[in-house]
Amino acid sequence: MLEQEAGQPLVERLPRGIRPTPAGAALVERGQAIRRELRAAQADLDSFTALDQGTLRLGSFPTASASLLPLALTRFRRRHTGIRIEVRAGVLAELREMLHTGEVEQGLLWDYEWNRVDDPALSLTHLLDDPTVLVVPADSPLRTHPSVRLGDLADQEWIIRADNHPVADVLRRSCRQAGFEPRIAYASHDYQEAQAMVAAGLGIALAPRLALTSRRSDVRLLPFASDVPAPTRRILLARATARPATPPAQAMARVLRTVAQRFTAPGLHRAQLGAVRPG
């Protein structure tokens, strides 16, 4: 049968046994090479399953990259030393495009109520809710309030994020819903700059709590009252629905879910906010 498929003799029949023809010897050598490659391929698959090797490509945005992602990366690399990790940064639209094209396997995304990530091509895991907080100088009279009402801040000057940043939209939406238009004193390009301007007394600011895990000692973060229209954003982990998650991606998802819990613990909330008791 094999000789029929080959179209030529593969063995010579001898009085005592057989021996391969040159074509048969070449076929045996090729078969041995194929067998070696199959064994190597299986070993590679076993390694990937055991998380011994491979590359995991992640997408992230600056707030996540400065808060929960470093802790997740440290934990992951400690457990899975053979996995190489690449992180690509981008804004929301860029991260979604990376996921669609396969440039990254997983991506950390965010959304607000008015711009939900509603994409059937993406599988989403909700990691945590990231509330909006008020940033004030450390000596501000507001610091003794257990919670703040946005409507009481209509006469304040505000520090806003520049370049049509999503948090600038949050500020304008929230203030308008509270019945006033914010007076802008300064447009900052990052949260450290915004904190510095607040500390200098130029104005106050809104920010997602997760963006302020590195809080300056000369500012305070104050929570809003529960009935205040201060939006909460969702932090999401996304992957392309059409592509099954690899073992490294599954392991990273588990680590991120665990790390996210640390950023939602009540004790951490209070430490980050720098809250003080009235009086």
Side-chain angles (χ1 to χ4, degrees):
M1 179 67 72
L2 187 57
E3 288 186 331
Q4 290 178 354
E5 293 182 2
Q8 57 185 299
L10 299 177
V11 296
E12 294 182 52
R13 277 75 179 176
L14 303 175
R16 296 183 179 178
I18 60 174
R19 68 182 177 191
T21 65
L27 189 62
V28 168
E29 183 177 354
R30 183 72 67 177
Q32 290 174 338
I34 292 172
R35 187 179 181 186
R36 286 194 297 270
E37 288 299 318
L38 288 173
R39 286 179 174 174
Q42 185 60 54
D44 285 345
L45 291 174
D46 292 341
S47 294
F48 286 124
T49 301
L51 294 173
D52 290 333
Q53 65 179 26
T55 298
L56 176 61
R57 298 184 304 278
L58 293 170
S60 185
F61 58 98
T63 299
S65 297
S67 54
L68 65 94
L69 185 57
L71 181 55
L73 291 175
T74 299
R75 289 190 176 189
F76 183 93
R77 292 169 69 88
R78 190 179 299 143
R79 299 172 186 173
H80 312 297
T81 57
I83 302 296
R84 180 172 178 269
I85 300 177
E86 297 176 0
V87 181
R88 310 284 175 86
V91 298
L92 186 60
E94 293 171 339
L95 292 169
R96 292 177 66 169
E97 181 64 17
M98 291 180 200
L99 286 162
H100 290 154
T101 61
E103 185 177 349
V104 298
E105 184 176 355
Q106 290 177 312
L108 287 164
L109 309 180
W110 55 265
D111 68 9
Y112 286 99
E113 184 179 2
W114 61 85
N115 71 335
R116 291 299 191 211
V117 177
D118 185 14
D119 188 340
L122 297 179
S123 176
L124 303 175
T125 299
H126 179 202
L127 293 177
L128 72 151
D129 288 326
D130 188 19
T132 298
V133 297
L134 182 68
V135 189
V136 302
D139 59 355
S140 170
L142 293 169
R143 74 190 190 281
T144 60
H145 294 198
S147 60
V148 179
R149 303 187 66 83
L150 196 57
D152 296 335
L153 305 175
D155 60 345
Q156 296 283 337
E157 298 284 340
W158 292 87
I159 311 299
I160 199 170
R161 287 298 303 268
D163 304 323
N164 297 315
H165 192 277
V167 172
D169 187 32
V170 169
L171 173 64
R172 291 193 172 95
R173 283 176 178 269
S174 300
C175 292
R176 288 168 185 166
Q177 194 170 349
F180 68 95
E181 191 71 23
R183 299 204 308 263
I184 308 303
Y186 188 79
S188 68
H189 290 83
D190 60 55
Y191 289 110
Q192 284 300 111
E193 184 184 10
Q195 289 187 69
M197 293 299 101
V198 170
L202 193 60
I204 60 177
L206 291 186
R209 189 190 62 231
L210 202 62
L212 300 167
T213 50
S214 298
R215 177 176 61 84
R216 292 173 58 106
S217 62
D218 48 6
V219 301
R220 294 292 180 268
L221 312 183
L222 306 180
F224 285 100
S226 59
D227 59 343
V228 169
T232 293
R233 68 176 180 175
R234 300 188 306 171
I235 306 300
L236 309 166
L237 179 63
R239 66 172 179 82
T241 305
R243 303 185 189 96
T246 62
Q250 293 173 19
M252 177 57 80
R254 290 192 294 269
V255 171
L256 281 167
R257 287 194 295 269
T258 300
V259 168
Q261 294 176 4
R262 294 196 53 179
F263 288 85
T264 58
L268 180 61
H269 288 194
R270 189 170 184 82
Q272 287 181 333
L273 293 172
V276 296
R277 295 178 180 177

